[in-house]
Each structure stands twice: as C-alpha cells, then as structure tokens.
C-alpha cells in the first residue's frame, strides 16, 4: 500500500505516528544543527592535527582524538574476547537452569548500572587495587567492563537468531559442538555481533564518567607513549572546555569543534557497523 | 512373518527396550526393532506418534535436549550407541541425517558439501573430486556445476534438499536417516528425491520417516507403523500395506484416522 492510500484509509493513527517520528527527528537534527553550525568554523586541519596551546585557548585537539582512539582500542581488546566467549557459553553451552537465569539477569542489570559507578569501581579496582595508576590502561579496562554487558547481550541475541536446524545440520555431519559454533553459528551471526559490538563501543567512546577518575587528564603535553600514562579524551576535553575552563567564553568555539569531532568519530564507527552488516548479509544471501 | 523376511537380510540397527521421556512425558514406549542393512525402512504413523523422535535417537540428536531421558539399548553394527566410550561425532558421521526442511549452511554450494569432508579429516586434495562425486550421486551436479561458488540458499527448495543429501553422503555414512525429507517440497522435487532414495539404497541403509503413505509404499522395503509412542507393527512393506496383522495398522493404512 502506498503512502497516500494509507492516509486516505485511516488518517488519524497515520498522522499521529508520523508526528511522533518527525518529533524525534526534529530533536536529532536540532542537536546536530546546533553543534555543526557553531563547530564547523572551528574545524580545520590544524584543529585536528595540533596540540592545544596557550592554556587550551588556541591550537587543536590531536591528543584528545588520539587518546579517544587508543582508549577505544584498549576497550575493544579488553571486552571483545571475553564478552563473545561469555555469550557463546551462555547461549550454546550453559544449561537453561536457575543459575544461568540468574547470571543472565545479573548481566542485563549490569547494563543498567550508571556509568559513574563504573568509574568509581575502576578507580578502586584498577587504579588502586591492581596499582595500574590513573592511566589509559585503567580507563580502557573500566570502559571494557562497562561495554561487557552490552556485548554479551547483543552477541547472545545474534547467536539465538541462527536457526537450530543449522546446528543440527552440522552436528549430523559429525561436527563437534565446538566445530559447529566455530564454522556455522559464529559466521552466520557475525552481522548481528559486529553491529552490537560496534554500537556498544561507540557508546563507550563517548563516555566521560568512567574515565574521569581512572586516567583522563585535563591536559597532557604529548600523546600517550605507554599504557601507564594519563591521556586526553574527547568527551572529557569537551566537558572541561564547557564547564571547567578559566575563560569559557573564549574557548566556546573550540568546545563546539570538539563536540563535532566526537560526533563525527562516533558516526564513523556506526557507519562501519552498518557496512560490516551489509557486507555479511550480502554474502549470506 | 517379519522374521522370515529378515532372515535374508543383515541387521544393522538393533533397538531393544527403548523408552524415551521428555521430562515426565513418555514419548517412546518399549520399542523393539531391527533395521536391515542396505534396505529402505519407512516409519509411518499419525503426527506425534514418536516416529521422528525414534529417528533422532539413532544419531543421538536428543543429546541437544536437556530434558530428554532414554532407557534401553540401541546398537549399530553391534556397537552400543549410548555407551560412554562411543564418540558421538563419529557416530553421526556414520549415521547421516536429512532433515524435514532443507537446511543448507549459509555458505556456497561447494562449501556445503566440502564442509563435512573437512571436519572429518578427508585428505585435502581429494575433496574437490569427492564433492563432485556426491553432487553427481544426488543428481544435482548438472544443475549447479556452473555456480558452485554461489550461496546455497539461492537454490530452490528441492535443489537445496538434494544438496543436503549430497552433503550427507559426501562423508560416506553407512546409514542415512531422513526425517520427512519431502514434506516441504513440490511433487516434482518429491519425485526426484524418491528416485534418488531408490538409487541410494544400493549403498546405504536408509531409514525414512514419512507422512505420506504412498511414498512409504513406493520407496521402502520394510515399514514400521507407530502409534502413540509404540511400535505397532513392523514387516515387509507390501505386507503392511496389503495384509497387515493388526487391526490398528489396517485402519491407519485405509485412512480411517491419522
């Protein structure tokens, strides 16, 4: 049925639903419009490739960009293998008994824990407990913890979409359970896993609270050289430019520029997620 | 009598005192059945009579259902399939299965057949030749030879099912279990599969579950009639269809219920 016919047949619900959709889009475009209209003027090659200068009133944000990218990398390395392994265990190996249900409920609940709590937990465990100090490693591990519940949940959902008949087909040929998972189930669920993982990582990349106490610095002169150094990150830099800086009015364009860069970065991650999904979907069809 | 007919054959699967429960519910009741080698044995009976459940016992697919409980004994070539030393993946290589709905892997046509060969450790340089051989035996080679690298899911339902049969025979099983292999197919594809079954029984023992009594009559040498989890009658197919011993069997064959 085409658009016009739907409206003719039942105008009221169609109009209301369309209105809600447009409302959501309006907010999204207001935010994007605000940031990009005020931030684009600050964007330039030197803004992206220079370090901050003159008490962060001039110069660029290179250390924060690199810091966020490295941080996301550490987060990925810390959370991806464990998260996927955990999801495979829960979905393919664990018996569906009370213990599993409790574990699953606990993981779902972890996804709802406020990110500041993760920050404090990371401070206690990684910074002080394991003596990793306030460092990019501590911050990355903390964000890894934050991402784990999302990664586990989305991976489990992706594994569940693989029909049981696929597993039976492989087992009936003499494949072991591990071979079935490795060769049939995982490849078939990669689009779902990749999408979920990248979306949760792009969310982690924009987090401020968990890195606040665990490694993000106001200002560091160079790029992080090893895992145990403090670092600058885009969301924290933005927070700082907006609320903590001595001359907030002067650095306002820089703040908008930083916000724009952060949004572009996260969008790029999301686009990669959609590309991966489409690529694998095409292969599977 | 079935004993007389079975004398001429060699037993390959022997089922004795088999009971199967899903939780509290008993689905198979005290089954005794001997399945002869290189013959087609059909299992017929109304929905829910346990024929598919019995079939899936033979390659231990019930291992996947945590609430399934089995008592009794099943031997294949004299080997107890439930024995703790029986390797279930080796058993399933020997006892292949074709499912109700075609379930090709989300891989290319070639890889669908090659996969079983790879995991079962057949020599790498032999695989391309074995893939072709299996596709030929399943009468699908000519239809797919120019598109071996295309995804198997693009084939028609009947082609997919023949591909699944090719995949199953590629790993050189002794027994092929078929769980209503034609129920999702059109009449022409069904005919092709039936011809294939008659061809395959020269090399394999085939156990086929079917809803379609004409199909059982057309393709099988022996027929087992099951009702409410019990094996009511087992005999040569022509005997079951023309002169069954039990009234229940006759009623079912004549279409009085089911």
């Amino acid at each position: 049925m085409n658009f016009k016919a739907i409206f003719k047949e039942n105008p009221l619900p169609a109009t209301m639903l369309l209105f809600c959709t447009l409302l959501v889009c309006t907010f999204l475009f207001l935010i994007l419009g605000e940031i990009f209209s005020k931030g684009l003027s600050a964007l330039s090659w030197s803004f992206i490739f220079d370090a901050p200068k003159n008490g962060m009133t001039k110069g660029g944000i290179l250390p924060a960009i690199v810091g966020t990218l490295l941080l996301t990398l550490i987060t990925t390395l810390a959370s991806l293998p464990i998260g996927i392994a955990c999801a495979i265990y829960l979905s393919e190996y664990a018996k569906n008994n009370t213990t599993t249900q409790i574990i699953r409920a606990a993981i779902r609940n972890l996804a709802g824990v406020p990110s500041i709590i993760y920050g404090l937990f990371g401070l206690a465990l990684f910074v002080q407990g394991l003596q990793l100090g306030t460092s990019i490693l501590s911050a990355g591990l903390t964000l890894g913890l934050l991402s784990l519940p999302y990664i586990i949940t989305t991976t489990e959902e992706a594994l569940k979409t693989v029909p049981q008949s696929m597993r039976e087909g492989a087992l009936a040929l003499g494949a072991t359970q591990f071979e079935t998972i490795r060769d049939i189930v995982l490849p078939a669920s990669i689009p779902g896993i990749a999408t979920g993982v990248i979306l949760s990582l792009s969310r982690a990349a924009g987090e401020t609270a968990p890195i606040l106490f665990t490694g993000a610095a106001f200002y560091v002169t160079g790029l992080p050289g090893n895992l145990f150094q403090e670092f600058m990150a885009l969301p924290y830099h933005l927070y700082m430019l907006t609320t903590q800086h001595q001359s907030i009015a002067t650095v306002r364009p820089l703040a908008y520029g930083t916000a724009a860069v952060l949004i572009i970065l996260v969008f790029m991650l999301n686009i990669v997620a959609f590309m991966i999904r489409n690529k694998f979907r095409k292969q599977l069809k | 009598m079935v004993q007389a007919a079975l004398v001429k054959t060699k037993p390959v699967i022997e089922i004795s005192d088999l009971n199967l429960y899903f939780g509290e519910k008993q689905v198979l009741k005290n089954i005794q059945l001997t399945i002869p080698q290189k013959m087609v044995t059909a299992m017929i009976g109304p929905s829910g009579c346990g024929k598919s459940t019995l079939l899936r016992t033979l390659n231990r697919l019930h291992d996947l259902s945590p609430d399934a409980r089995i008592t009794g004994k099943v031997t294949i070539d004299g080997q107890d399939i439930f024995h703790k030393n029986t390797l279930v993946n080796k058993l399933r290589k020997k006892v292949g299965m074709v499912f109700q709905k075609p379930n090709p892997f989300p891989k290319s046509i070639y890889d669908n057949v090659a996969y079983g060969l790879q995991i079962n450790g057949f020599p790498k340089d032999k695989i391309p030749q074995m893939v072709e051989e299996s596709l030929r035996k399943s009468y699908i080679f000519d239809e797919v030879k120019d598109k071996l690298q295309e995804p198997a899911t693009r084939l028609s339902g009947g082609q997919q099912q023949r591909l699944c049969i090719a995949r199953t025979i590629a790993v050189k099983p002794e027994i092929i279990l078929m769980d209503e292999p034609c129920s999702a197919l059109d009449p022409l594809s069904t005919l092709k599969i039936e011809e294939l079954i008659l061809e395959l029984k020269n090399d394999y023992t085939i156990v086929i579950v079917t809803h379609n009594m004409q199909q059982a009559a057309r393709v099988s040498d022996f027929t087992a009639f099951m009702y409410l989890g019990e094996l009511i009658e087992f005999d040569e197919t022509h005997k079951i269809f023309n002169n069954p011993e039990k009234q229940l069997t006759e009623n079912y064959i004549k279409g009085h219920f089911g």
Side-chain angles (χ1 to χ4, degrees), chain B residues 175-216:
Chain B
I175 300 164
I176 302 175
L177 310 174
M178 296 187 167
D179 188 1
E180 297 186 41
C182 304
S183 66
L185 306 182
D186 61 83
L188 198 65
S189 303
T190 301
L191 191 70
K192 282 188 181 168
I193 303 263
E194 286 181 9
E195 283 170 3
L196 181 55
I197 292 172
L198 292 173
E199 191 64 35
L200 291 173
K201 77 168 186 180
N202 296 319
D203 299 312
Y204 307 95
T205 305
I206 295 174
V207 187
I208 179 170
V209 164
T210 177
H211 252 115
N212 179 333
M213 276 186 284
Q214 287 75 31
Q215 182 170 65

Side-chain angles (χ1 to χ4, degrees), chain A residues 57-138:
Chain A
T57 54
K58 286 215 171 69
I61 53 168
L62 182 68
I65 296 176
V66 175
T68 288
L69 290 177
L70 282 177
L71 183 70
T72 311
L73 182 68
I74 295 170
T75 305
T76 313
L77 294 178
S79 58
L80 198 58
I82 301 180
I84 291 184
C86 180
I88 292 176
Y89 179 78
L90 285 176
S91 153
E92 308 291 320
Y93 286 93
K95 284 185 184 147
N96 204 12
N97 53 23
T98 324
T99 323
T100 317
Q101 307 267 3
I102 292 172
I103 292 175
R104 207 171 266 139
I107 291 170
R108 300 265 144 94
N109 277 327
L110 274 181
V113 171
S115 59
I116 185 78
I117 310 274
Y118 278 99
L120 291 168
F121 181 76
L123 174 68
L125 179 65
F126 300 121
V127 178
Q128 292 175 343
L130 296 174
Q131 294 287 313
L132 298 175
T134 48
S135 62
I136 194 162
L137 181 61
S138 298

